[in-house]
Amino acid sequence: MVLLALLVMAGAWLCCPTPLIGNPIQTELLSVQVAQDGQVFCWRPRSVAERQRARAIVDHLATVEKRSTLRRATPALAQRAELVLYVRTEDCYQTVALGETAGLAWHQDGLGLASQVLGPRALTDYLRSQLDGGLSWTRGAA
């Protein structure tokens, strides 16, 4: 009976989507990395206007869903992504890596299991529209 209950819980954990950001009020967007033309550009919100834009991005991330997987997250996942977000929640640091067709999110502490971001193309398009123009980008990694 206990084994059956554990299997049901594991199945629900793998099948049921959860929000990408569980508590947006306690979450801060630390930086965004964009890989373009073989170079990496980084944006960190510094001014009041940029912090407001970062807050809007975090609020939008709370509406996006992810599905848990048993895949291990590795630093190579972030290096291959076209867009990488680094956020700090009240509990841990989280990385969201978005590519052309796939998106993964993982906590930097804990088990290090990646979750699949649902609708990565729509999220990438939204982020690109928010990050275009007027922001102070620097070259190099975060």
Side-chain angles (χ1 to χ4, degrees):
M1 209 38 128
V2 173
L3 182 60
L4 181 63
L6 288 174
L7 287 174
V8 168
M9 285 178 30
W13 180 72
L14 288 171
C15 294
C16 295
T18 58
L20 186 58
I21 302 292
N23 188 354
I25 295 171
Q26 295 294 323
T27 302
E28 176 186 11
L29 178 64
L30 298 176
S31 66
V32 177
Q33 281 184 351
V34 176
Q36 188 174 12
D37 300 328
Q39 296 181 337
V40 176
F41 297 93
C42 182
W43 173 70
R44 290 182 180 92
R46 288 190 164 64
S47 69
V48 172
E50 287 180 345
R51 287 190 188 113
Q52 289 173 342
R53 190 173 297 188
R55 170 62 32 213
I57 290 171
V58 168
D59 290 341
H60 182 77
L61 291 176
T63 65
V64 175
E65 292 184 327
K66 66 180 178 179
R67 182 168 287 132
S68 299
T69 67
L70 296 175
R71 183 177 180 180
R72 299 269 309 150
T74 62
L77 290 175
Q79 291 172 355
R80 288 191 310 248
E82 136 188 358
L83 192 79
V84 181
L85 291 90
Y86 295 95
V87 296
R88 179 176 59 201
T89 66
E90 58 191 14
D91 298 328
C92 63
Y93 291 87
Q94 185 174 347
T95 303
V96 179
L98 301 168
E100 281 293 319
T101 59
L104 294 173
W106 63 90
H107 297 284
Q108 293 179 356
D109 357 345
L111 296 175
L113 295 178
S115 298
Q116 179 183 5
V117 176
L118 304 178
R121 186 79 252 158
L123 179 56
T124 301
D125 292 342
Y126 168 79
L127 290 169
R128 287 202 181 275
S129 72
Q130 289 295 310
L131 298 173
D132 281 343
L135 301 180
S136 53
W137 291 88
T138 57
R139 275 174 112 172

